[in-house]
């Protein structure tokens, strides 16, 4: 696969690790970059709550502080230790605080979350939260509620030091408060708030080692601290800590594509700091985490896009050193082509995301247009899916938005039929393997003794199964992902977007 020609000036764009801008719990897309770069994007805090996408939110609903809490759990006076998502916490506390402000004042006591006891002021965490004012009016309003929440959890912990839920929620408040701090602020600093949040996560997980959400958000806090330190030894140590906490979160809750995606991102960041001899293995591990996230959620466009960026970065690295690191490694050109498949799929799923559009402009020419993917698979002879192994042939296949098709040359279809008469080339071509995307039921790897040796591919369709064999297990992963992504794009009603990418 040739390197891009149209955007050749961007061919060696630097891979920058960034996260989505997070305002009030809503992921916002950045403006179009002047120069196209491939930037990984991270998941949100707290995997228990999937934040609505920007385009699906009604007008004004991105203000979670002032929004109604319909369908959300209400925080009552006796629920200070309940584990909530950040959005539930903010909505519930806002309503609870409003009721308290409108009620008859009562004298504070040591058990009340409104208490102004000196212990609050002397506590390092409370002092940090009390000093956060927010960078704008919205931030100040949000921080007022977070401060109120911190007092509630401080009170709950005073009454019950073993309350791991209160510690976890307090850590969330500290982490959220860090987002309200002006980046140039020295007192309090964002890093100090995140460090204190990490301490609370540590205490919570010591009390409850199975609290997977705490490990997930703890890893996000560590990642934010690492990102502030650039490419230093201290940052390397923090990224290593973050990967361990993501690993623990996944061990406790394997069904978390968000944790797998962020684990891959942390590994990707770590790979940019470690010595060159360690980088290749870390990047391969990052690829496996992104791929695992996609396998759990086929339309998880952030993980799809991030897999494209890490493949692009690997291709750039291999190109700089003049080829593959090992004999089993994929060539840089093949990596560029694979990268383009994932970027195109992410764009098809979320065509309004400017960062995906910019990346697609960079990599579109790396696709085997007018197809999404072209490669070789071993297939049975046309019309005879149960032929002996010796009759299976390695032939070229193409995948587009409509289906997977075997290319059978006319020269090979001029052989005689069983009756001794020359076979009709057109009929033979029509009998080649053809899988239309709407007919697919499932796609999976298979190890069947009835298939020729190799990496088996099973495509179950409404007309029955289709069996093929890939050149290697690495090659099979690419085919599995590509077919599943095209089907997912079809199921989401976005085939026309993908068609525009590969045929437009």
């Amino acid at each position: 696969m040739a390197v891009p020609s149209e955007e050749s000036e961007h061919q060696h764009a630097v891979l920058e690790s960034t996260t989505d801008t997070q305002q009030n719990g809503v992921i916002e897309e950045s403006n179009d970059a002047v120069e196209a770069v491939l930037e990984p994007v991270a998941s949100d805090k707290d995997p228990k709550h999937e934040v609505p996408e920007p385009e699906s939110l009604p007008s004004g609903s991105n203000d979670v502080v002032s929004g109604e809490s319909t369908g959300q759990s209400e925080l009552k006076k006796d629920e200070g230790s309940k584990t909530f998502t950040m959005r539930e916490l903010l909505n519930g506390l806002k309503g609870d605080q409003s009721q308290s402000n409108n009620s008859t004042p009562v004298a504070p006591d040591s058990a009340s979350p409104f208490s102004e006891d000196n212990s609050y002021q002397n506590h390092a965490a409370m002092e940090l939260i009390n000093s956060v004012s927010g960078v704008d009016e919205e931030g100040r309003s949000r921080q007022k509620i977070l401060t109120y929440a911190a007092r509630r959890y401080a009170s709950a912990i005073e009454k019950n030091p073993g309350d791991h839920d209160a510690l976890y929620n307090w850590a969330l408040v500290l982490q959220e408060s860090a987002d309200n701090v002006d980046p140039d602020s020295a007192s309090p600093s964002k890093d100090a708030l995140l460090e204190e949040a990490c301490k609370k996560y540590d205490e919570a997980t010591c009390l409850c080692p199975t609290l997977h959400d705490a490990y997930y958000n703890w890893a996000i806090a560590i990642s934010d601290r690492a990102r502030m330190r650039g490419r230093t030894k201290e940052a390397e140590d923090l990224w290593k800590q973050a990967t361990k906490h993501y690993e623990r979160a996944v061990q406790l809750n394997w069904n978390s594509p968000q944790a797998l995606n962020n684990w891959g991102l942390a590994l990707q960041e770590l790979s940019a700091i470690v010595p060159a001899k360690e980088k290749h293995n870390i990047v391969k591990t990052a690829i496996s985490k992104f791929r695992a996230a996609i396998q759990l959620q086929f339309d998880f466009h952030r993980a799809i896009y991030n897999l494209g960026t890490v493949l692009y970065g690997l291709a750039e690295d291999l190109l700089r050193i003049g080829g593959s690191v090992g004999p089993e490694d994929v060539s840089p050109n093949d990596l560029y082509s694979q990268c383009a498949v994932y970027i195109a799929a992410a764009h098809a799923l979320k065509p309004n995301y400017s960062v995906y559009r910019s990346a697609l402009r960079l990599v579109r020419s790396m696709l085997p247009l007018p197809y999404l993917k072209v490669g070789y698979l071993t297939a049975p002879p046309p019309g005879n899916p149960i032929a002996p192994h010796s009759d299976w042939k390695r032939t070229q296949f193409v995948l587009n938005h409509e289906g997977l098709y075997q290319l059978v040359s006319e020269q090979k279809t001029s052989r005689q039929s069983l009756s001794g008469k020359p076979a009709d080339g057109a009929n033979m071509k029509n009998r080649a393997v053809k899988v239309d995307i709407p007919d697919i039921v499932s796609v999976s790897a298979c190890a069947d003794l009835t298939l020729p040796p190799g990496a088996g591919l099973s495509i179950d369709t409404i007309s029955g199964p289709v069996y093929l064999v890939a050149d290697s297990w690495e090659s099979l992963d690419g085919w599995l992902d590509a077919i599943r992504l095209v089907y997912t794009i079809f199921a989401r009603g976005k085939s026309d977007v993908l068609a525009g990418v590969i045929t437009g």
Side-chain angles (χ1 to χ4, degrees):
M1 180 66 59
V3 294
S5 56
E6 294 182 29
E7 294 94 354
S8 57
E9 65 273 20
H10 300 312
Q11 178 187 338
H12 299 287
V14 177
L15 180 66
E16 298 179 0
S17 296
T18 63
T19 59
D20 291 342
T21 304
Q22 200 169 28
Q23 291 291 338
N24 300 328
V26 177
I27 295 296
E28 296 184 349
E29 73 174 287
S30 58
N31 295 328
D32 283 325
V34 175
E35 181 177 6
V37 292
L38 298 191
E39 301 176 341
V41 291
S43 298
D44 310 323
K45 295 184 182 70
D46 203 322
K48 295 184 297 180
H49 179 73
E50 184 64 24
V51 177
E53 302 296 349
E55 64 267 27
S56 65
L57 288 170
S59 177
S61 65
N62 62 336
D63 187 355
V64 301
V65 175
S66 60
E68 294 293 329
S69 57
T70 304
Q72 306 269 6
S73 301
E74 291 281 340
L75 276 178
K76 305 300 182 183
K77 290 294 173 86
D78 59 347
E79 290 182 336
S81 65
K82 184 176 179 180
T83 304
F84 288 92
T85 67
M86 182 52 64
R87 175 165 295 199
E88 289 171 340
L89 183 149
L90 288 170
N91 284 335
L93 282 170
K94 182 181 184 298
D96 195 34
Q97 188 184 36
S98 298
Q99 293 176 11
S100 301
N101 291 338
N102 294 332
S103 62
T104 304
V106 294
D109 57 76
S110 60
S112 169
F114 299 100
S115 174
E116 295 294 340
D117 191 278
N118 287 335
S119 61
Y120 291 152
Q121 303 299 327
N122 294 333
H123 197 286
M126 282 307 307
E127 288 180 356
L128 283 170
I129 290 176
N130 285 331
S131 59
V132 178
S133 60
V135 296
D136 52 28
E137 184 176 350
E138 184 177 335
R140 286 188 289 272
S141 174
R142 186 179 182 83
Q143 189 56 40
K144 184 178 180 181
I145 298 171
L146 290 169
T147 303
Y148 170 80
R151 291 173 181 171
R152 164 165 289 183
Y153 296 127
S155 176
I157 293 168
E158 282 186 354
K159 290 184 290 185
N160 179 14
D163 190 341
H164 61 270
D165 281 338
L167 284 163
Y168 167 72
N169 286 330
W170 197 357
L172 277 180
V173 169
L174 285 158
Q175 195 170 1
E176 195 74 9
S177 295
D179 290 338
N180 284 343
V181 174
D182 190 317
D184 298 326
S185 173
S187 181
S189 69
K190 183 182 179 77
D191 188 59
L193 284 159
L194 291 171
E195 183 179 18
E196 196 65 35
C198 290
K199 292 177 182 177
K200 299 303 177 201
Y201 286 130
D202 191 10
E203 293 178 42
T205 54
C206 284
L207 291 169
C208 182
T210 59
L211 200 59
H212 58 84
D213 290 339
Y215 283 105
Y216 174 88
N217 288 311
W218 188 2
I220 291 177
I222 295 173
S223 298
D224 287 343
R225 297 191 69 207
R227 201 168 284 109
M228 297 176 191
R229 288 160 171 76
R231 298 186 177 184
T232 62
K233 176 61 179 174
E234 188 178 6
E236 179 184 342
D237 293 339
L238 286 169
W239 283 120
K240 287 179 179 179
Q241 289 180 35
T243 60
K244 290 179 180 178
H245 286 71
Y246 281 127
E247 181 178 12
R248 183 59 177 157
V250 171
Q251 287 174 345
L252 293 170
N253 180 27
W254 63 268
N255 191 26
S256 176
Q258 293 90 349
L260 285 162
N261 175 58
N262 281 12
W263 186 1
L265 284 172
L267 288 164
Q268 195 173 358
E269 294 279 6
L270 178 62
S271 70
I273 303 175
V274 298
K277 62 181 180 180
E278 301 177 28
K279 181 173 183 176
H280 192 65
N281 287 336
I282 293 175
V283 168
K284 280 194 166 184
T285 306
I287 290 172
S288 71
K289 304 311 170 190
F290 290 134
R291 183 162 278 143
I294 297 170
Q295 289 170 356
L296 283 177
Q297 183 181 335
F298 294 143
D299 63 350
F300 191 8
H301 56 90
R302 292 189 182 94
I304 294 167
Y305 174 79
N306 289 335
L307 180 50
T309 67
V310 75
L311 289 170
Y312 182 90
L314 181 58
E316 294 280 279
D317 288 342
L318 293 180
L319 202 61
R320 277 192 290 269
I321 64 176
S324 303
V325 174
E328 298 180 356
D329 290 326
V330 183
S331 70
N333 284 342
D334 287 340
L335 288 170
Y336 279 128
S337 183
Q338 289 181 34
C339 153
V341 170
Y342 295 105
I343 299 298
H347 169 77
L349 288 168
K350 290 293 174 184
N352 294 330
Y353 273 34
S354 61
V355 67
Y356 297 172
R357 288 198 303 269
S358 298
L360 183 61
R361 287 195 293 268
L362 173 66
V363 303
R364 182 177 178 272
S365 61
M366 300 173 184
L367 291 170
L369 303 175
Y371 303 110
L372 181 69
K373 184 175 178 63
V374 174
Y376 285 87
L377 292 167
T378 300
N384 189 8
I386 58 173
H389 292 179
S390 58
D391 291 344
W392 287 53
K393 302 297 180 184
R394 183 175 180 269
T395 57
Q396 194 173 43
F397 279 75
V398 297
L399 176 69
N400 62 13
H401 62 287
E402 295 179 328
L404 176 72
Y405 308 115
Q406 181 185 20
L407 298 184
V408 179
S409 62
E410 294 184 2
Q411 290 84 352
K412 292 182 179 180
T413 60
S414 60
R415 59 190 179 185
Q416 290 187 334
S417 65
L418 293 177
S419 64
K421 298 180 180 179
D424 182 22
N427 288 336
M428 291 295 292
K429 190 170 184 179
N430 289 336
R431 293 166 63 192
V433 176
K434 177 181 178 182
V435 180
D436 294 326
I437 295 300
D439 296 341
I440 293 177
V441 176
S442 66
V443 184
S444 61
C446 67
D448 194 317
L449 294 177
T450 63
L451 299 179
L457 169 62
S458 172
I459 306 176
D460 192 13
T461 74
I462 58 176
S463 302
V466 175
Y467 295 103
L468 303 166
V469 178
D471 290 346
S472 65
W473 293 106
E474 179 72 25
S475 173
L476 177 63
D477 284 337
W479 280 111
L480 285 171
D481 282 353
I483 297 170
R484 286 168 175 166
L485 288 172
V486 173
Y487 179 83
T488 301
I489 291 166
F490 160 76
R492 297 295 179 270
K494 300 292 182 67
S495 291
D496 56 333
V497 181
L498 183 60
V501 171
I502 61 179
T503 64

